[in-house]
Amino acid sequence: GTIITDTLAMIVLAVIASMAKGELSTAFWIRLVSLMVLYGAAMVFLIPRAGTLFFRNAPPDGTSEFVFVLAVVFISGFLAHLAGLEPIIGAFLAGLTLNNLIPEKGVLMNRIHFVGDSLFIPFFLVSVGMLVNINTLLTDRAAWLTAGLMAAVALISKWLAAETGGRLLRFSL
């Protein structure tokens, strides 16, 4: 549920950003939907195949495997940007598609966790913090309305996902 709601929240963000630029039209929607479908299909079908082929033929030294994973993450983020999505969606989809190919307790996963926790997450948070214009929050009611709306949609969609999943799996309180 979290995967779906976070991805949808990023898509809503892309729509809001285009709306703020005045680019919201029928052509925008056709382009966004077609590129999302094309991008998603490429990620789901091509990345696992390329990963399987690479890991089968690569020397198990760890370095080339790690560079391959980083390349997939960066390329996926760039292609997501070209498709009109946030690059973090591309990085997230890269992780999903490579998940089955990398052992959870292996050296490669250890390296991925280390770099993610010590570099990527802090840099992501710093870059997001640098995008926030405090003056806008102090002077523009529309910014608060947009932030409140996005927070409400995120909370409601996560609650609905949890509630639906709980009922389908017959969880009790």
Side-chain angles (χ1 to χ4, degrees), residues 114-135:
F114 173 77
V115 170
D117 294 344
S118 63
L119 289 177
F120 286 148
I121 293 173
F123 275 108
F124 171 73
L125 294 174
V126 166
S127 69
V128 169
M130 292 178 79
L131 293 174
V132 175
N133 184 349
I134 300 297
N135 291 331

Side-chain angles (χ1 to χ4, degrees), residues 31-32 34-36 38-39 74-87 90:
R31 180 183 179 279
L32 180 66
S34 59
L35 287 176
M36 279 177 25
L38 181 65
Y39 174 73
F74 291 135
I75 291 168
S76 298
F78 176 70
L79 292 176
H81 176 71
L82 291 180
L85 302 170
E86 292 296 316

